[in-house]
Amino acid sequence: MNIAIIATSPRKNSNSLRFSKYLQKLTQISGYEDVTVVDFHYFDIPSVGRGTINKDALTVFQAELINAWAAADLVFFVTPEYNFTVNGDLLNALHQLGSKDFAHLFHNKVFALAGVSSGRGGKNPCLDLTTVINKIINFSNQYSVVSPRIFESHETHKNLDDNADSAGNKIYEDGVKAFLDYSLEVTKRWVR
């Protein structure tokens, strides 16, 4: 099983990236070696209305994102909560990639969603993303699913250290593990 974890915060060394690296470690401990983390800090997808992605002339970041996503059976979107919703870069990426040229990115995939917060939050962007991704799957006539279990990473900077290791909060650790296991099980059933 190939897995892509996409850390969608544009901030350098963001909490979203920290959580993504922690999730990568847990996934590898669970026996899945093909796990790629993509960092939106290098995001360079043009804003809608100001350009489009040229599938034949991808930038380094665009190629990394698209190749990791295309190869994955399971795609985790790890998103910060900005003003109670999804960050603009991720919405822009979904809009740009939700086209005929990139329809394969929404075919035969499981999408799992985690919202990251420095306080209490993360649910709203996941709920919004569920709607957007399902609409793209529907309108592009693809076959994929959005996993119903989301994860809200509260107080991420307190629960994970700078090296993306747990600070020892067992409730947090158990919650992430349950989210990971559920996402893996849905993927096993879907790709079977």
Side-chain angles (χ1 to χ4, degrees):
M1 179 187 311
N2 280 331
I3 299 167
I5 304 171
I6 303 173
T8 69
S9 173
R11 292 187 175 122
K12 186 172 185 172
N13 299 320
S14 67
N15 283 331
S16 297
L17 181 61
R18 187 181 297 194
F19 178 81
S20 295
K21 289 180 177 179
Y22 179 66
L23 190 60
Q24 180 185 39
K25 289 177 184 181
L26 288 182
T27 305
Q28 290 172 332
I29 289 169
S30 296
Y32 299 91
E33 292 299 318
D34 292 326
V35 185
T36 303
V37 173
V38 178
D39 184 1
F40 261 42
H41 173 66
Y42 303 100
F43 184 90
D44 62 2
I45 295 172
S47 296
V48 171
R50 296 190 177 184
T52 56
I53 298 176
N54 180 345
K55 67 177 181 167
D56 298 317
L58 298 173
T59 66
V60 172
F61 169 78
Q62 293 166 8
E64 179 187 10
L65 172 65
I66 290 166
N67 292 337
W69 183 342
D73 302 301
L74 172 58
V75 179
F76 287 98
F77 283 116
V78 178
T79 182
E81 181 168 314
Y82 289 167
N83 297 317
F84 305 104
T85 192
V86 182
N87 74 76
D89 287 344
L90 177 53
L91 286 176
N92 185 63
L94 288 169
H95 185 82
Q96 291 278 19
L97 296 171
S99 65
K100 290 179 184 176
D101 285 343
F102 300 102
H104 64 284
L105 297 177
F106 297 91
H107 182 66
N108 206 28
K109 309 282 180 203
V110 171
F111 295 95
L113 311 173
V116 175
S117 178
S118 58
R120 295 281 176 187
K123 177 171 65 175
N124 285 341
C126 293
L127 297 177
D128 292 345
L129 275 176
T130 298
T131 300
V132 172
I133 295 168
N134 274 319
K135 282 293 209 181
I136 294 170
I137 292 166
N138 173 37
F139 282 110
S140 60
N141 199 31
Q142 301 303 310
Y143 293 90
S144 286
V145 295
V146 179
S147 178
R149 177 171 275 180
I150 63 173
F151 184 75
E152 300 170 50
S153 180
H154 298 161
E155 299 179 332
T156 305
H157 64 291
K158 293 180 182 177
N159 286 302
L160 300 174
D161 67 19
D162 291 341
N163 297 315
D165 291 319
S166 174
N169 180 340
K170 182 155 176 29
I171 294 170
Y172 184 87
E173 291 172 357
D174 290 348
V176 178
K177 183 73 167 92
F179 168 67
L180 173 62
D181 289 346
Y182 189 94
S183 303
L184 291 169
E185 186 60 33
V186 170
T187 307
K188 285 179 202 170
R189 292 178 183 206
W190 181 254
V191 299
R192 186 173 24 183

